[in-house]
Structures are given as structure tokens and as C-alpha cells.
């Protein structure tokens, strides 16, 4: 497969993927809206777009536009479907928009492929760890369990731990691909539907499906102004501005932070590896890192100490823990991450220092969530 369409290909992950695929001899087409939330008010001047400008065939448009999607899909042999609205918190009150883009755009993709001749042989969809909701735990009494979403009542009293009926204290385990899917946000629901459409519909059209459940992706090029790209960009930008950091819950909540170059490499393996067909893979490091560890690492590498406090604030829809089991990705994809958290955060912070602080919508996003009753 040499002709590859990347939807959302001018974004943080997509732009790096596009350039690496081109270097490997593929003919790359990028479809992207150049959304202001990602690229700023002058998107044609954004670093992400300029990195691919003139390097690949570029189409500006939305995955919800039938005419544009029809043109973009013509003669393609593979599709990497990255285009999506991201952000668990924002999805909880921009419900129609997230559904229209994430589910509607994927539906349109398949409507076109199902009703006209096509040359697509494989679709790789960027799924998400958010499809799992809470991760996998071991109960002394019950074995593996998948706790439900934490209650507002528990968290308002300062109890942030997950619980399971009939069990004593739970032990966090790596989440494998066979774990229960029970997303705790609208964003997670849309990613689950995207993934299920790709895995179900592709074989009926003679297309090989691959789903990659990305963990929390970070690295150089990540937007420092977009408040929905994760705590690494939010906290690093606050530190660069000399502003205090408000750590939600008790700071012990954890995520699997995976470096963007590892995600790009895993995605290329998903495109090129024959035995990937028909499979779903976790893409992460397999190591949980707490929010407290994140703050300490950023302050150490940026060497700009600011005040940080554990406030006990919390967001409805947030999970407590999730980290990836990479057994299947290692065995079938041959994927092993090259970056651990320390190596990745060092490279990320070097880029942050060179980029300087940027105006952010973080405070506005927090105010919006409080207004909607989603942040306590």
C-alpha cells in the first residue's frame, strides 16, 4: 500500500506520521480542517501545518463534508483515521458537535466506501484508552473486576479510590484489549463507536481493519494553548507563565503517558504489518505515572519552580487509573516503545523551553466546566 490518506493529518500526531510515511516512500494525502482550537487563529502559520506544507498533498476540509471526503478517498489504498474532536471534559457539554464529527464523520467515510467503487485495502483507526473508562483491577475475593464510574458523593467527601461491590481494597492491573469497555465520557463513547464501525464494517467491504487504542500521547508539537490536550501541556504552560498549579483529586490518579514518536511508529506498524489485520491494539508504555510525578518531573526539567497545591477539586467523567497491557502489541505488531516517561519528558521540556509560554484557554475551560456542573 503506497497511497495513504490521513484524516486529521495536520494535527499533532498526524503531521509527524505524514512526514515519516513520506520518508518511507508512501504517497500521502492529508485531510484536515485546520481547526483554530488546534492550530490557533492563523492556522496556515501554525508549526504543525507548516511542517507538512508542500511535503504532502493537502486538502482543507472536514470529514463531515461528503464532496470533500469523496475527493480525498479517490484512489487511496489505506486510510489512517485520526480526525476527531478530543477532550473528555469538553465532550460532556458539546455533545452534538462531538457526535457529529467523531461518529458522523466515520459514518460518512463508510457510506462513501459502501456505495461506490474504492481501492482502500486497510483502515487504521485512532481509538483511545478512553473506551475502557476505568482500567482493570484485581479483587482479592473476585479476581479481575472493572469498577463503575466513581460517585459524586464519594469524591465530594475526598474519597477518590475506585470500589467494587463485594470486594475489599482493589489492586490496579494493566488493562488488556479484552477488558470491559465502559467509557465514562461522551468522548469515550464516540471513540468506542468509531472503533466498532471500523472493525465491523470494513470486512464487509473487503477492507482490513486495525484499531489502535492510544494512551495519553505527548511530545514536541503538542498544543500549549489548547486546554483539552492533557495535563502535560497545561501544566508546562502554567509553569512557563509562573502561574500556580492546581492538582485535582489527591494527585495520585495516574495515566500511561506515551511519547508521540512511539505512537507514530506503532501506527506505521498498523499500516504495514500483515498480521495486524482484524486486530485491536493498546499503544502506550505499560507504566502508570501519577499526576504528582508529572508535576515533579516538569518542575525539575523546566527548572522554573512554581507553587503547586492539591486542591481536592475533581471533574465528573474523569477516571482514576488506566495503563496499557502491551502483550498483544509486542507479539503481533512487534511494537516496543523506545521512550520511557523520563526520556520523553526531557525531550518534551526542551521543546517547551524553546517554544516559550503561550496564551491558553485553560482558565476559560475550567470556568465552563464549573458553570456546567462538571467540575467540583
Amino acid at each position: 500500500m503506497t497511497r495513504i490518506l490521513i484524516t486529521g493529518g495536520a494535527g499533532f500526531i498526524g503531521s509527524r506520521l505524514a512526514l515519516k510515511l513520506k520518508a518511507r516512500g508512501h504517497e500521502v494525502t492529508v485531510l484536515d480542517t485546520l481547526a483554530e482550537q488546534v492550530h490557533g487563529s492563523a492556522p496556515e502559520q501554525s508549526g504543525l501545518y507548516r511542517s507538512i506544507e508542500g511535503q504532502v498533498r493537502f486538502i482543507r476540509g472536514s470529514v463531515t463534508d461528503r464532496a470533500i471526503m469523496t475527493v480525498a478517498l479517490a484512489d487511496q489504498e489505506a486510510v489512517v483515521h485520526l480526525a476527531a474532536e478530543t477532550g473528555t471534559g469538553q465532550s460532556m457539554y458539546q455533545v452534538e458537535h462531538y457526535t457529529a464529527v467523531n461518529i458522523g464523520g466515520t459514518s460518512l467515510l463508510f457510506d462513501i466506501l459502501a456505495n461506490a467503487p474504492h481501492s482502500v485495502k486497510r483502515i487504521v483507526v485512532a481509538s483511545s484508552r478512553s473506551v475502557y473508562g476505568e482500567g482493570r483491577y484485581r479483587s482479592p475475593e473476585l479476581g479481575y473486576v472493572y469498577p463503575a464510574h466513581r460517585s459524586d458523593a464519594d469524591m465530594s467527601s475526598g474519597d477518590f479510590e475506585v470500589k467494587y461491590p463485594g470486594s475489599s481494597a482493589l489492586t490496579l492491573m494493566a488493562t488488556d484489549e479484552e477488558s470491559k469497555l465502559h467509557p465514562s465520557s461522551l468522548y469515550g463513547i464516540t471513540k468506542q463507536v468509531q472503533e466498532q464501525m471500523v472493525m465491523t464494517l470494513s470486512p464487509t467491504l473487503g477492507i482490513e481493519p486495525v484499531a489502535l487504542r492510544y494512551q495519553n500521547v505527548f511530545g514536541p508539537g503538542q498544543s500549549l494553548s489548547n486546554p483539552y490536550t492533557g495535563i502535560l501541556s497545561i501544566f508546562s504552560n502554567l509553569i512557563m507563565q509562573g502561574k500556580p498549579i492546581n492538582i485535582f483529586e489527591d494527585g495520585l490518579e495516574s495515566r500511561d503517558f506515551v511519547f508521540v514518536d512511539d505512537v507514530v511508529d506503532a501506527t506505521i506498524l498498523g499500516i504495514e504489518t500483515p498480521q495486524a489485520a482484524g486486530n485491536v491494539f493498546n499503544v502506550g508504555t505499560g507504566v502508570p505515572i501519577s499526576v504528582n510525578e508529572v508535576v515533579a518531573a516538569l518542575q525539575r526539567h523546566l527548572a522554573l519552580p512554581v507553587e503547586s497545591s492539591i486542591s481536592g477539586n475533581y471533574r465528573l467523567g474523569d477516571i482514576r487509573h488506566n495503563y496499557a497491557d502491551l502483550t498483544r502489541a509486542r507479539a503481533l505488531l512487534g511494537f516496543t516503545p523506545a521512550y520511557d516517561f523520563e526520556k520523553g519528558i526531557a525531550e518534551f521540556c526542551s521543546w517547551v523551553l524553546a517554544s516559550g509560554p503561550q496564551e491558553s484557554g485553560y482558565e476559560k475551560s475550567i470556568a465552563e466546566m464549573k458553570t456546567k456542573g462538571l467540575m467540583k
Side-chain angles (χ1 to χ4, degrees):
M1 293 175 286
T2 59
R3 298 186 301 278
I4 301 174
L5 169 66
I6 309 174
T7 68
F12 168 46
I13 299 169
S15 57
R16 295 172 87 94
L17 174 64
L19 294 176
K20 193 156 188 177
L21 285 173
K22 182 190 176 187
R24 293 174 69 83
H26 296 288
E27 182 181 324
V28 178
T29 297
V30 163
L31 172 66
D32 203 292
T33 61
L34 299 183
E36 182 175 343
Q37 186 164 292
V38 176
H39 295 276
S41 58
E44 294 86 354
Q45 301 305 313
S46 77
L48 294 176
Y49 171 68
R50 293 182 71 180
S51 71
I52 63 168
E53 187 179 17
Q55 302 297 309
V56 300
R57 177 190 178 212
F58 179 75
I59 301 172
R60 185 169 183 177
S62 171
V63 290
T64 63
D65 185 313
R66 178 177 291 272
I68 287 175
M69 281 289 284
T70 300
V71 170
L73 284 165
D75 298 322
Q76 302 296 336
E77 295 177 292
V79 177
V80 181
H81 189 34
L82 298 177
E85 291 292 349
T86 61
T88 56
Q90 188 181 46
S91 74
M92 301 293 274
Y93 55 90
Q94 291 194 10
V95 178
E96 183 179 11
H97 180 60
Y98 270 69
T99 303
V101 174
N102 297 3
I103 296 177
T106 308
S107 299
L108 178 59
L109 167 67
F110 279 100
D111 197 77
I112 293 169
L113 293 174
N115 290 289
H118 68 83
S119 53
V120 176
K121 300 173 184 176
R122 180 170 291 196
I123 295 178
V124 179
V125 62
S127 187
S128 167
R129 61 95 184 147
S130 66
V131 302
Y132 295 118
E134 279 293 342
R136 182 170 65 158
Y137 294 76
R138 185 185 293 278
S139 160
E141 296 85 7
L142 305 171
Y144 290 132
V145 296
Y146 303 94
H149 316 322
R150 296 173 293 167
S151 72
D152 192 359
D154 281 346
M155 291 194 288
S156 66
S157 67
D159 181 1
F160 301 111
E161 294 299 335
V162 295
K163 300 175 179 62
Y164 197 84
S167 176
S168 55
L170 302 173
T171 300
L172 176 65
M173 305 296 293
T175 301
D176 65 13
E177 292 87 351
E178 300 306 313
S179 294
K180 181 179 179 179
L181 305 185
H182 58 145
S184 60
S185 68
L186 190 278
Y187 171 70
I189 292 169
T190 66
K191 297 306 288 186
Q192 180 181 353
V193 174
Q194 272 191 329
E195 178 186 308
Q196 289 175 329
M197 280 196 284
V198 170
M199 301 307 292
T200 301
L201 294 174
S202 294
T204 70
L205 302 173
I207 300 170
E208 297 173 340
V210 180
L212 302 177
R213 294 173 180 166
Y214 298 157
Q215 291 279 331
N216 291 59
V217 187
F218 76 101
Q222 187 170 0
S223 174
L224 298 178
S225 60
N226 183 354
Y228 305 104
T229 57
I231 62 170
L232 283 169
S233 61
I234 292 169
F235 287 172
S236 60
N237 202 37
L238 289 173
I239 291 171
M240 291 290 286
Q241 296 177 74
K243 294 182 178 180
I245 294 174
N246 174 13
I247 299 173
F248 290 0
E249 301 187 18
D250 55 7
L252 300 179
E253 62 274 23
S254 66
R255 301 290 187 271
D256 185 337
F257 294 95
V258 58
F259 195 68
V260 63
D261 288 351
D262 284 329
V263 170
V264 168
D265 288 345
T267 305
I268 291 173
L269 288 169
I271 298 167
E272 297 180 346
T273 305
Q275 57 266 37
N279 282 292
V280 175
F281 299 97
N282 287 330
V283 178
T285 64
V287 179
I289 303 293
S290 74
V291 173
N292 287 337
E293 291 175 291
V294 167
V295 173
L298 288 173
Q299 291 190 322
R300 184 173 67 253
H301 285 283
L302 295 174
L304 296 167
V306 299
E307 288 186 13
S308 62
S309 59
I310 298 173
S311 65
N313 291 140
Y314 59 92
R315 296 189 311 179
L316 298 178
D318 274 356
I319 64 165
R320 181 65 167 170
H321 302 294
N322 192 308
Y323 74 102
D325 183 317
L326 299 181
T327 303
R328 181 184 294 177
R330 288 192 176 101
L332 295 183
L333 272 188
F335 170 70
T336 299
Y339 286 79
D340 60 14
F341 181 70
E342 185 59 30
K343 181 181 177 182
I345 205 70
E347 193 162 320
F348 173 71
C349 286
S350 294
W351 171 78
V352 169
L353 287 168
S355 301
Q358 297 182 20
E359 184 178 349
S360 171
Y362 177 60
E363 288 83 1
K364 179 182 177 183
S365 73
I366 293 297
E368 284 181 342
M369 294 202 68
K370 286 181 176 178
T371 299
K372 306 294 182 183
L374 295 169
M375 180 178 167
K376 306 294 181 74

